[in-house]
Amino acid sequence: MKKYELVANDIKAKIISGYYAKGSILPDQKTLAEDFAVSKITIKNALDNLANAGFVLKTSGFGTVVIGPSTLITDKDAPASNFEGLTDQAGAERVASKVIKFDLEFPSAEVKTHLNINDEEPVYHIIRLRLLDGDPFIIENTYMPVALVPGLSQSVLESSIYTYIHDTLHLKFAGISRNIQARQADELDMRYLNVSKNSAILEIEQIVWLVNGKPIEYSTSRNDSNKRSYYLFETM
Amino acid sequence: MKKYELVANDIKAKIISGYYAKGSILPDQKTLAEDFAVSKITIKNALDNLANAGFVLKTSGFGTVVIGPSTLITDKDAPASNFEGLTDQAGAERVASKVIKFDLEFPSAEVKTHLNINDEEPVYHIIRLRLLDGDPFIIENTYMPVALVPGLSQSVLESSIYTYIHDTLHLKFAGISRNIQARQADELDMRYLNVSKNSAILEIEQIVWLVNGKPIEYSTSRNDSNKRSYYLFETM
DNA sequence: TAGTGGTCTAGACCACGAT
DNA sequence: TCGTGGTCTAGACCACTAC
């Protein structure tokens, strides 16, 4: 494990235990560097991590102050970075998938744009209902270039696409961009998510990139708003 | 301006102009460092910035690949970091505010938790309708500790609270945490946002911190979902 | 003015992806 | 194995906040 991770974990533990109280100011970076017997830049890296996670605020000229963990985080929150997919998040035994649609298509103008491909490149069009502990949880509407994900099958769709991509195809995700919106429930939502007419739906539209810079997924996920929200933290 | 910002701006301009094409791999950091006549760490800082903004993906062992700007960003998007408040984002001449409620209260349990204050600390409770170019845009339901924001008045509320906090009280924001949810329109939404019954509302619940680590705002903002969405980018 | 975190350097070494 | 980005060092200097 990296030095700055060790330092970050140590400080984080002291924040959670109350040793560093919410609202208090941490020792300055030079002192921390001496205490942990590491360089100042290693301390900075550690504090940067804690700042990104919303545990501390750093201000030049002032110091580093403890603010977290956030009171806005709930158990409904989608994980900050959920590259793993639902199966890895919740555990395979809790997740089931019902395949609603599994087709091959030429990409629409929208899909072409988001996946950065040509007219002729075929894509999978997949609609799945994901169930968590047997209850309807997400409807995923996914497009993937066939060239990048060969051999996709019904049985893969019924378990985990991400596991197939990682373990079988040995492809690695590098980034994800999301657009979050509120929507009114449509026919599909009412039918599969078990929500009433007009209820609110949280929609997450996303593009997933591989390490080599190619978009491998363009998808739209819809949740019952009562079952999911989205947390994030930003510094100035 | 800092060196890494100059470098980042230069590379960003070359990405936008197409000099570095989407999908292409940038020269390695050592080469870039020589080209720009700066140290490798300065190049790393510059690329970190571009990576956070979703323009490039960096992968150790592979390289830095151009992916941005994102095709998911729309003109509906709330800015990634909107510390400025709506007035500064859109321009004072485009924004108007109608004060629906302006009260003093003792904090509820929820407000106490999020603002990290005691039972006895009075808070402002403010509900405002913000109009953009004359059209209803956001309903903001805001709580602020009176002790941190003395002298709040009706006339301040009708222009910009943030401007008052920055320019008059000389307080500085350092961080913000948000929770994004989908909601069904309620009575207030229908009355003030001009939306129909049952339409979808994008709700952003947020806490804003000052540099000294004190929460200065706990608020809930509600938008017509057709007028606003939320974009974000993450790397592994 | 004192003290904080940020930037920047040159250079050694490490972890990881591709082949 | 090669080449990439990441980590880490010691130390100089800068920019900012608060008093």
Side-chain angles (χ1 to χ4, degrees):
Chain A
M1 194 175 250
K2 293 151 202 162
K3 274 195 185 179
Y4 73 82
E5 285 178 341
L6 292 170
V7 173
N9 287 346
D10 191 300
I11 295 175
K12 188 170 161 184
K14 283 174 177 163
I15 290 173
I16 290 170
S17 78
Y19 178 83
Y20 291 136
K22 211 178 251 203
S24 68
I25 297 175
L26 291 183
D28 65 84
Q29 295 187 356
K30 188 167 162 292
T31 304
L32 286 171
E34 286 162 5
D35 291 353
F36 282 96
V38 298
S39 76
K40 194 187 151 199
I41 286 188
T42 299
I43 292 293
K44 184 183 183 296
N45 282 342
L47 295 180
D48 280 347
N49 270 26
L50 293 176
N52 287 335
F55 277 86
V56 301
L57 286 174
K58 293 179 300 163
T59 308
S60 178
F62 180 79
T64 302
V65 59
V66 179
I67 60 164
S70 174
T71 54
L72 284 184
I73 296 178
T74 69
D75 54 8
K76 291 199 313 177
D77 282 304
S81 65
N82 53 2
F83 290 94
E84 318 104 21
L86 187 59
T87 307
D88 285 349
Q89 280 170 42
E93 66 289 347
R94 294 183 60 196
V95 178
S97 303
K98 178 182 162 60
V99 178
I100 298 171
K101 183 191 180 98
F102 178 33
D103 274 347
L104 283 172
E105 297 177 3
F106 288 110
S108 68
E110 192 188 21
V111 171
K112 250 174 58 184
T113 302
H114 295 313
L115 291 180
N116 199 26
I117 55 175
N118 298 325
D119 288 306
E120 309 80 30
E121 278 202 53
V123 296
Y124 297 113
H125 183 190
I126 303 151
I127 302 180
R128 291 194 301 175
L129 171 68
R130 316 299 303 275
L131 301 103
L132 187 62
D133 299 327
D135 294 323
F137 189 56
I138 306 181
I139 294 180
E140 289 175 356
N141 192 337
T142 305
Y143 297 89
M144 292 181 159
V146 173
L148 292 180
V149 196
L152 211 52
S153 66
Q154 186 86 12
S155 72
V156 167
L157 299 189
E158 280 163 4
S159 53
S160 165
I161 299 181
Y162 280 16
T163 302
Y164 176 72
I165 290 174
H166 284 134
D167 298 353
T168 305
L169 299 179
H170 303 294
L171 298 174
K172 290 174 185 74
F173 296 159
I176 193 161
S177 67
R178 296 194 166 101
N179 199 303
I180 303 172
Q181 302 183 54
R183 300 288 195 190
Q184 236 176 305
D186 61 20
E187 288 299 323
L188 218 56
D189 300 324
M190 286 158 54
R191 185 147 129 220
Y192 290 107
L193 286 182
N194 241 349
V195 294
S196 56
K197 196 164 190 293
N198 299 319
S199 63
I201 298 289
L202 185 74
E203 180 184 288
I204 300 181
E205 188 184 11
Q206 70 182 21
I207 299 171
V208 180
W209 278 272
L210 297 177
V211 158
N212 64 13
K214 290 185 182 165
I216 192 174
E217 169 185 324
Y218 167 61
S219 68
T220 305
S221 300
R222 293 169 73 101
N223 276 91
D224 181 344
S225 63
N226 292 316
K227 295 192 178 166
R228 217 174 205 201
S229 63
Y230 207 95
Y231 171 78
L232 54 114
F233 180 78
E234 293 167 25
T235 52
M236 288 213 71
Chain B
M1 191 174 252
K2 294 151 203 163
K3 274 195 186 181
Y4 74 81
E5 286 178 341
L6 292 170
V7 173
N9 287 346
D10 191 302
I11 295 175
K12 188 171 161 182
K14 283 174 178 162
I15 290 173
I16 291 171
S17 77
Y19 179 83
Y20 291 134
K22 209 178 256 203
S24 69
I25 297 176
L26 292 183
D28 66 84
Q29 294 188 358
K30 187 167 163 292
T31 304
L32 286 172
E34 287 163 5
D35 290 353
F36 282 97
V38 298
S39 76
K40 193 186 152 199
I41 286 187
T42 299
I43 292 293
K44 183 183 183 299
N45 282 342
L47 295 181
D48 280 347
N49 271 25
L50 294 177
N52 287 335
F55 277 87
V56 301
L57 286 175
K58 292 179 301 162
T59 307
S60 178
F62 180 79
T64 303
V65 59
V66 178
I67 61 163
S70 175
T71 53
L72 285 183
I73 296 177
T74 71
D75 53 7
K76 290 198 316 178
D77 283 303
S81 66
N82 54 2
F83 290 93
E84 318 103 23
L86 187 60
T87 307
D88 285 349
Q89 280 170 41
E93 66 287 347
R94 295 182 60 196
V95 178
S97 302
K98 177 180 164 61
V99 179
I100 297 171
K101 182 189 180 99
F102 178 32
D103 274 348
L104 283 171
E105 298 176 3
F106 289 111
S108 67
E110 191 187 22
V111 170
K112 252 174 56 185
T113 302
H114 295 312
L115 291 180
N116 198 25
I117 55 176
N118 297 323
D119 289 307
E120 310 81 30
E121 279 201 52
V123 296
Y124 297 113
H125 183 189
I126 303 151
I127 302 180
R128 291 194 300 175
L129 172 68
R130 317 299 303 276
L131 301 103
L132 187 62
D133 300 326
D135 294 323
F137 189 56
I138 307 180
I139 295 181
E140 290 175 354
N141 192 337
T142 306
Y143 297 89
M144 291 181 160
V146 173
L148 291 180
V149 195
L152 212 51
S153 67
Q154 186 85 16
S155 71
V156 167
L157 298 189
E158 281 164 1
S159 53
S160 165
I161 300 181
Y162 280 15
T163 302
Y164 176 73
I165 289 173
H166 284 135
D167 298 353
T168 305
L169 298 179
H170 302 295
L171 298 174
K172 291 173 184 74
F173 296 159
I176 193 161
S177 66
R178 296 196 166 102
N179 199 302
I180 303 173
Q181 302 183 55
R183 300 287 196 190
Q184 234 175 307
D186 62 19
E187 289 299 323
L188 218 58
D189 300 324
M190 285 156 58
R191 183 146 130 223
Y192 290 107
L193 286 181
N194 242 348
V195 295
S196 56
K197 197 164 189 295
N198 298 320
S199 63
I201 299 289
L202 185 73
E203 180 184 287
I204 301 181
E205 189 184 11
Q206 70 181 22
I207 299 170
V208 180
W209 280 271
L210 298 176
V211 158
N212 63 14
K214 290 185 180 164
I216 192 174
E217 170 185 323
Y218 168 61
S219 68
T220 305
S221 301
R222 293 169 73 100
N223 276 90
D224 181 343
S225 63
N226 292 317
K227 295 190 178 167
R228 218 173 203 201
S229 62
Y230 206 95
Y231 171 79
L232 54 113
F233 180 79
E234 293 167 26
T235 52
M236 288 212 77

